[in-house]
Amino acid sequence: LSRAQAAFERALAADPDDVEVLALLGALLLERGQLEAARSKLADALARSPGHAFSAVTLADLEARAGNLAAARALLEQAAAAHPEHLKARKGLARLLMSQLPDLNGRDVLDPTCGSGNLLVTAARHGARVRGIEIDPRLARVARLNLQLPLLRPQWLKKPR
């Protein structure tokens, strides 16, 4: 990692405005546990290119590790809104939100418009007994399949009358 860091620093010396190199150096510093230096590089990259998803997601990871969950959430929401196709931003946001769920063990969760069952799957993974209703038979079928994943305990899923 030391050689990679030195290479990134040389590249920045040649072109201090290179957002990609700033972001990659920030990610490397985060990996090395140098949180403040990483935060500085990633924030600089975002200041130069506010829509840079990799910088936002990596900085969000840093903020979450540091316990700044509100800052992490804001960064992930911004990245996911600006780049809906950016899977890491969306997954990071989902993981962050799931980590903040209360203990659902043994509780009942009803989703009256469950769609493909994402909320039900999340609740079931946190120990809830889940129930869903979906009017669209195709989505109800997908939800049933999603709820058959290992370790999930769906109670029922039905179409409304």
Side-chain angles (χ1 to χ4, degrees):
L1 291 177
S2 296
R3 290 189 335 196
Q5 183 174 343
F8 285 137
E9 288 169 350
R10 282 191 305 275
L12 277 179
D15 183 2
D17 294 325
D18 190 328
V19 172
E20 294 298 324
V21 174
L22 274 169
L24 290 169
L25 179 56
L28 184 138
L29 292 168
L30 176 60
E31 184 66 28
R32 296 188 83 183
Q34 298 174 18
L35 299 185
E36 287 311 312
R39 182 180 280 123
S40 174
K41 297 298 182 198
L42 293 164
D44 192 13
L46 275 175
R48 293 170 192 270
S49 179
H52 197 258
F54 178 80
S55 297
V57 169
T58 307
L59 184 55
D61 182 31
L62 183 154
E63 296 298 353
R65 289 184 196 190
N68 302 327
L69 300 182
R73 181 176 178 173
L75 286 160
L76 290 168
E77 286 175 343
Q78 178 183 6
H83 302 280
E85 76 288 354
H86 198 282
L87 187 58
K88 195 166 183 180
R90 292 181 18 230
K91 286 177 77 173
L93 182 58
R95 281 192 187 112
L96 179 68
L97 294 174
M98 286 177 11
S99 74
Q100 297 175 324
L101 283 176
D103 180 19
L104 297 176
N105 199 21
R107 298 183 106 177
D108 292 318
V109 172
L110 170 64
D111 185 352
T113 57
C114 71
S116 62
N118 291 333
L119 173 70
L120 297 176
V121 169
T122 300
R125 285 189 175 142
H126 282 81
R129 292 183 303 265
V130 298
R131 299 173 180 174
I133 300 169
E134 177 53 54
I135 195 167
D136 183 329
R138 293 170 297 167
L139 286 174
R141 196 170 24 259
V142 171
R144 281 190 198 96
L145 290 172
N146 285 337
L147 287 166
Q148 291 174 5
L149 297 171
L151 305 176
L152 301 182
R153 301 180 307 264
Q155 298 302 311
W156 53 265
L157 179 70
K158 69 176 188 177
K159 291 186 349 184
R161 294 179 204 185

